[in-house]
Amino acid sequence: MTLVCALLWAIFSLAAKRFRFEMNKTDKIVAWSLTFYVLVTIFSVVVHPNPAKGGTFLLKMIPFLAIWTVLPRLRVSISGRLVPFLITGAGIGMIGSLIFSIGQIAFLSPRAEGGAGNAAVFGLFTVLFGSISLLNAHSDSRTERFIAIAGFACGLVCAFLSGTRSAWLVMPLHFAILYWYLRGQTLPTITNVVKVVGAVIIVAIIAIAAMKVTERYHALESDIVQLDRQPDSINSLNARLMLWSAAKRAFLASPVIGYGPQNRMSRVNEILNLPPDKKMTFTHVHNGLLNAAVDSGILGVLAVLGLLASPIIAAHKKEPGPGRDLAIAISLLLVTSYVITGMLGIMFGHDATDAVFIYLTLMICWIAGTSPYLSIPQVAACAEDDILALGALDETRVVAKIN
């Protein structure tokens, strides 16, 4: 909703000529990648049966168009000034999520959902934002460094408490990405106190991880045994295998344009031909690429691949500098999280996952390659200079408009 409001306000501001529509070549490549996804979805809904049922899917496309208006608005401000708040906010969010998750695990559910409404989505967000939090580990602010490490640890714990096995698979890649980014930074000296606290945190994470990994391993083992002994029974594992098989058959039957997102599950259930009491009630096939293939065929797969490539393109095309390194790190954390969890669950088509992907892609586009890394105190110290710089920029635009 906030993204749609930002889109509408930016349209109004452009119409009122509060700022000019300015996008560089890379911005336009990214914007068209997102727009291609929107156009493919609209085409898929309209050309297939039951287009009236596709209204929800069309509404979900609106936020993807925000890049055309929100990014030009960001371009008239000082590049990257919101990034320190994003990274620190990610850490604070993970600390709060852990508190919420502990209460949820203790009293409500065996798997933490953290307010996301879905344990798998929560697992995706915690492993993503926990890793983003650690990008502040080299901050000159002691408070930010503490939040960075605490947020990273809490994010890992939340991911384990969610029981989302695909999120656990993301962690090794994130460790490698974070090592790549932080190894070239000036890190603070590790004192004995920090070593002790770090050791305690590591032990706590390992203990919780061992508990949840063992629990989920036994659940998987039980599903495999049940699948072997009772092949007609439907459990978590068997349901996925059946969905993937049916989705593959559906794609091969209509590989170019698919069946439309509104007909996705009806077509999958038709292929499975299960008794009424065993029909799949899921809204997706638990694989982002197969989901797109059933919806829109090859066009849908290409559209999703374009979406996933857009933040990496935006980061890679920047001028060399601290901002480019940070943008590359965020883009890799984002894309690996969505690809790995999306191969076993949902990738796009969920309001929260769509919004997070769009927000972070906007932020990656906005960061200038040569912009320095700043902590929040440093941003505050630059406030007076920023006001003068923006004032001078406004005067330049007014003169250009008059001429």
Side-chain angles (χ1 to χ4, degrees), residues 43-301:
F43 173 77
S44 184
V45 168
V46 172
V47 302
H48 290 106
N50 308 314
K53 293 183 179 180
T56 302
F57 298 98
L58 296 180
L59 289 175
K60 288 181 179 180
M61 294 299 103
I62 295 175
F64 287 94
L65 299 175
I67 189 169
W68 289 105
T69 57
V70 176
L71 188 53
R73 170 62 187 87
L74 291 173
R75 288 276 181 230
V76 300
S77 58
I78 306 296
S79 175
R81 287 295 192 258
L82 293 178
V83 175
F85 297 94
L86 164 69
I87 299 174
T88 302
I92 294 172
M94 290 304 96
I95 295 170
S97 294
L98 179 59
I99 297 171
F100 188 93
S101 297
I102 290 173
Q104 198 170 38
I105 288 288
F107 302 107
L108 299 175
S109 171
R111 294 179 64 185
E113 297 177 359
N118 185 306
V121 173
F122 183 59
L124 161 62
F125 288 162
T126 54
V127 76
L128 171 59
F129 285 109
S131 296
I132 288 176
S133 169
L134 197 63
L135 296 174
N136 253 353
H138 64 105
S139 172
D140 66 343
S141 167
R142 187 174 181 179
T143 302
E144 285 186 13
R145 292 198 301 271
F146 169 79
I147 293 173
I149 296 170
F152 178 64
C154 291
L156 292 182
V157 172
C158 285
F160 282 114
L161 291 179
S162 74
T164 308
R165 288 169 292 208
S166 58
W168 304 347
L169 298 177
V170 179
M171 292 177 184
L173 282 176
H174 278 200
F175 293 158
I177 295 165
L178 291 167
Y179 172 76
W180 168 80
Y181 175 73
L182 292 173
R183 69 185 176 89
Q185 310 297 335
T186 303
L187 298 176
T189 303
I190 300 177
T191 64
N192 289 332
V193 174
V194 172
K195 290 178 181 178
V196 172
V197 173
V200 171
I201 290 174
I202 292 172
V203 170
I205 292 174
I206 291 174
I208 294 172
M211 176 184 67
K212 294 304 293 185
V213 168
T214 301
E215 177 186 315
R216 296 294 286 162
Y217 170 77
H218 287 315
L220 178 61
E221 186 180 44
S222 175
D223 285 350
I224 293 173
V225 170
Q226 187 178 14
L227 181 62
D228 184 52
R229 294 177 179 174
Q230 300 174 303
D232 293 332
S233 65
I234 298 177
N235 53 40
S236 176
L237 175 61
N238 196 22
R240 277 181 167 80
L241 295 175
M242 293 170 68
L243 286 169
W244 296 342
S245 174
K248 177 184 174 182
R249 290 165 61 189
F251 168 65
L252 293 176
S254 180
V256 179
I257 59 172
Y259 299 91
Q262 71 272 27
N263 304 310
R264 176 196 307 149
M265 293 312 298
S266 60
R267 178 57 182 151
V268 167
N269 276 311
E270 182 183 331
I271 290 173
L272 290 174
N273 195 27
L274 296 171
D277 60 322
K278 289 187 176 182
K279 279 194 174 182
M280 298 290 183
T281 58
F282 301 108
T283 59
H284 56 94
V285 300
H286 286 75
N287 182 294
L289 292 180
L290 283 176
N291 219 50
V294 175
D295 291 355
S296 311
I298 293 173
L299 287 176
V301 174

